[in-house]
């Protein structure tokens, strides 16, 4: 009798748990309204994060992280570098931020917009802690991946040659010595840098130690 | 229990030999396919693809545990049920629980040997071409696939032991649901935070078979 109860219990648990996963998915496929992703920006005007959330059926909420809500126009004027064309049409340019004035030409020529997806936040996505130390070669345009990759060990920056999958003691020693000489405290807390060659140039990788930061470039072993 | 293990061994050994040969061939294929990548492409680009684009070079392994689990389950339980032999065993004075678990134990032990072999082949292959961090990543990525293999075996037992067609359909759906849960993502290490939960789902399939076995013993066809 106990075994039948145990069996019934496990089947019931499985049924309920699977239904709890599958049914909301089916419901979402069948009934969810069309929604756009929520976008969060840093507003240099409000000195706070502002976001736009789509609730379906063209119903948007514009708000700050602290809970203040406002209309679309106020949202756009809080982000003058993104909505600068509307700002211009509304006669709100030049805009003054932090004691500096920005007109249409300045914004158009100098603005840069970076997007950070939630999955790109450190520790929010899996990654293998082996990195390429990219280097801008002054003699040629574009970037290429080096044959040596590095990993941060407890007491050193260790290089592995990818062609033979073996540690390169000479490079390891050279880079570890350069870092140590500049006061880098092992182990590294974070290695940051865009691991791609689809960019015009690089300033190397940032290595975060328990306190502070050093940046390195391949080739010159430059520590900044 | 030793007699049951011996009986199962006699029944399964030719199939196990076939499965072993298939896994040996597969592991050779896995090694050669990754070696081939390193021969036709610069190693640094392969590192980039593996780490940052998320290309899984051992993707071929994904459904191997699933097929192995389902096959062992089928060859272990189908002949028993088609000829009704298991009903005789289930009337032995040992009790139904140890008897069902003895059968499952033999099948699971065989399956785990193959799965361990697959993981070892994966670790050796990846370790030949990539640093250790990639081995850990590959094993974590393959872990839900391995769980899907165990779920497929336990699910096959759960489904095949059930004599009532309506319950059989429900058991098949539950088993398929657990297998599906273990194959939800094509990203590497996507299951890092939910491996224990997925394992709990799979483990629950083991006692689930007991009720089906009870019904089978009590006269279901």
């Amino acid at each position: 009798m106990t075994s039948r109860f145990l069996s019934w219990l496990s089947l019931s648990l499985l049924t309920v748990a699977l239904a709890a996963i599958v049914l909301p998915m089916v419901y979402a496929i069948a009934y969810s309204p069309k929604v756009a992703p929520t976008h969060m920006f840093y507003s240099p005007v409000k000195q706070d994060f502002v976001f736009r959330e789509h609730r379906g059926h063209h119903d948007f909420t514009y708000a700050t992280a602290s809970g203040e809500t406002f209309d679309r126009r106020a949202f756009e004027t809080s982000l003058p570098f993104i909505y600068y064309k509307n700002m211009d049409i509304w006669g709100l340019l030049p805009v003054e931020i932090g004691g500096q004035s920005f007109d249409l030409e300045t914004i158009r020529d100098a603005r840069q917009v970076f997007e950070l997806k939630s999955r790109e936040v450190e520790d929010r996505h899996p990654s293998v802690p082996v990195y390429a130390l990219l280097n801008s070669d002054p003699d040629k345009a574009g970037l290429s991946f080096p044959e040596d990759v590095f990993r941060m060990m407890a007491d050193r920056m260790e290089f592995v040659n990818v062609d033979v999958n073996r540690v390169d003691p000479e490079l390891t020693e050279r880079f570890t010595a350069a870092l140590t000489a500049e006061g880098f405290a092992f182990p590294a807390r974070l290695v940051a840098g865009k691991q791609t060659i689809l960019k015009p140039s690089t300033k190397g990788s940032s290595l975060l130690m328990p306190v502070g930061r050093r940046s390195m470039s391949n080739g010159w072993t430059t520590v900044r | 229990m030793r007699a049951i293990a011996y009986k199962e061994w006699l029944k399964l050994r030719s199939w196990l030999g076939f499965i072993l040969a298939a896994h040996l061939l597969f592991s050779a294929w896995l090694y050669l396919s990754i070696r081939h990548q390193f021969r036709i492409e610069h190693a640094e680009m392969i590192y980039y693809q593996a780490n940052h684009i998320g290309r899984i070079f051992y993707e071929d392994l994904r459904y191997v545990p699933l097929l192995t689990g389902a096959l062992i389950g089928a060859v272990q339980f189908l002949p028993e049920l088609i000829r009704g032999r298991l009903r005789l065993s289930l009337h032995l004075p040992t009790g139904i629980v140890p008897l069902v678990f003895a059968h499952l134990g033999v099948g699971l032990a065989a399956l785990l040997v193959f799965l361990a072999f697959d993981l070892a082949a994966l670790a050796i292959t990846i370790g030949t071409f990539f640093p250790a961090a990639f081995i850990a990543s590959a094993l974590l990525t393959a872990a839900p696939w391995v769980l899907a293999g165990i779920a497929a075996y336990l699910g096959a037992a759960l489904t095949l032991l059930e004599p009532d067609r309506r319950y059989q359909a429900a058991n098949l759906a539950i088993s398929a649901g657990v297998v599906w849960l273990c194959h939800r993502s094509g990203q590497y290490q996507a299951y890092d935070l939910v491996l224990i939960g997925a394992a709990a789902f799979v483990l629950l399939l083991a006692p689930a078979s007991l009720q089906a076995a009870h019904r089978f013993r009590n006269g279901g066809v």
Side-chain angles (χ1 to χ4, degrees):
Chain A
M1 211 57 213
T2 320
S3 66
R4 294 195 98 157
F5 174 73
L6 191 67
S7 183
W8 172 85
L9 185 68
S10 55
L11 270 175
S12 307
L13 280 174
L14 279 173
T15 308
V16 171
L18 281 171
I21 294 168
V22 174
L23 292 181
M25 290 173 72
V26 173
Y27 179 84
I29 287 169
Y31 297 110
S32 279
K34 191 189 283 179
V35 288
T38 297
H39 282 126
M40 182 177 258
F41 305 85
Y42 185 74
S43 164
V45 179
K46 290 183 180 294
Q47 302 278 311
D48 194 2
F49 286 98
V50 294
F51 64 88
R52 187 191 71 180
E53 187 180 0
H54 187 196
R55 299 183 174 280
H57 308 296
H58 301 285
D59 176 20
F60 290 93
T61 296
Y62 304 96
T64 62
S66 50
E68 180 199 350
T69 58
F70 32 82
D71 63 12
R72 178 174 176 165
R73 185 176 165 128
F75 175 76
E76 294 190 2
T77 52
S78 74
L79 299 164
F81 300 142
I82 290 176
Y83 296 103
Y84 68 99
K85 285 181 182 167
N86 275 347
M87 295 284 287
D88 185 42
I89 291 167
W90 297 331
L92 297 173
L93 290 184
V95 61
E96 195 175 305
I97 294 167
Q100 206 179 333
S101 179
F102 299 90
D103 60 16
L104 181 67
E105 279 69 35
T106 314
I107 295 175
R108 191 159 50 204
D109 293 346
R111 79 189 194 112
Q112 281 193 330
V113 179
F114 295 98
E115 183 184 12
L116 187 65
K117 296 191 172 71
S118 56
R119 65 170 179 272
E120 290 166 344
V121 175
E122 188 64 18
D123 295 335
R124 297 285 172 86
H125 64 100
S127 73
V128 185
V130 175
Y131 311 91
L133 190 52
L134 294 170
N135 176 36
S136 285
D137 186 343
D139 294 332
K140 75 179 182 65
L143 295 167
S144 53
F145 278 112
E147 285 151 17
D148 305 287
V149 293
F150 70 92
R151 53 191 177 197
M152 298 306 283
M153 311 299 275
D155 59 347
R156 64 193 183 281
M157 181 181 190
E158 190 169 79
F159 280 83
V160 175
N161 184 295
V162 296
D163 287 331
V164 291
N165 190 23
R166 252 180 249 125
V167 172
D168 185 325
E170 193 272 325
L171 268 184
T172 302
E173 169 58 31
R174 182 144 62 92
F175 277 80
T176 305
L179 275 176
T180 312
E182 290 293 327
F184 187 87
F186 285 94
R189 189 158 58 83
L190 177 74
V191 177
K194 200 151 177 58
Q195 295 274 306
T196 177
I197 50 173
L198 301 175
K199 54 184 178 180
S201 66
T202 183
K203 290 186 173 172
S205 288
S206 286
L207 310 175
L208 240 66
M209 43 190 198
V211 180
R213 186 179 81 138
R214 297 286 184 274
S215 294
M216 293 207 82
S217 288
N218 197 2
W220 307 298
T221 355
T222 322
V223 182
R224 289 189 293 273
Chain B
M1 288 304 124
R2 287 186 64 179
I4 286 172
Y6 187 61
K7 166 178 87 82
E8 292 301 290
W9 164 247
L10 288 180
K11 184 174 68 186
L12 291 177
R13 62 184 174 181
S14 57
W15 278 103
L16 296 183
F18 165 74
I19 296 171
L20 177 66
H23 279 248
L24 282 168
L25 279 176
F26 176 78
S27 56
W29 160 258
L30 187 69
Y31 181 87
L32 282 177
S33 68
I34 292 180
R35 180 170 165 266
H36 171 72
Q37 290 295 325
F38 275 83
R39 287 165 77 94
I40 61 168
E41 179 73 279
H42 287 294
E44 52 268 33
M45 286 311 294
I46 294 180
Y47 272 57
Y48 172 65
Q49 290 170 11
N51 199 348
H52 299 288
I53 295 182
R55 188 172 160 201
I56 300 177
F57 286 93
Y58 42 92
E59 178 85 38
D60 293 344
L61 178 65
R62 183 183 293 269
Y63 297 110
V64 171
L66 174 60
L67 290 174
T68 309
L71 182 62
I72 293 179
V75 299
Q76 190 182 4
F77 291 106
L78 264 182
E80 301 277 358
L81 301 170
I82 289 170
R83 297 172 199 165
R85 289 191 306 224
L86 190 65
R87 191 169 294 121
L88 290 176
S89 309
L90 290 175
H91 282 91
L92 286 171
T94 47
I96 196 165
V97 178
L99 203 114
V100 169
F101 281 159
H103 279 84
L104 290 180
V106 172
L108 269 183
L111 176 62
L112 290 178
V113 169
F114 291 122
L115 297 180
F117 176 84
D118 290 341
L119 290 180
L122 177 66
I124 291 169
T125 303
I126 296 296
T128 306
F129 300 100
F130 293 96
F134 284 87
I135 302 177
S137 171
L139 292 178
L140 281 169
T141 305
W145 306 346
V146 165
L147 286 175
I150 299 171
Y153 171 76
L154 292 172
L158 176 67
T159 306
L160 292 174
L161 279 173
E162 176 57 56
D164 186 313
R165 289 286 174 267
R166 291 164 301 171
Y167 287 119
Q168 196 171 41
N171 289 354
L172 181 63
I174 289 170
S175 310
V178 177
V179 167
W180 166 80
L181 267 190
C182 298
H183 281 295
R184 288 279 294 132
S185 177
Q187 310 282 319
Y188 71 85
Q189 283 179 258
Y191 279 71
D192 279 11
L193 300 177
V194 291
L195 266 183
I196 292 175
F201 272 85
V202 175
L203 283 180
L204 279 174
L205 283 172
S209 302
L210 291 171
Q211 202 162 3
H214 270 288
R215 269 198 289 273
F216 182 74
R217 186 186 64 176
N218 296 339
V221 183

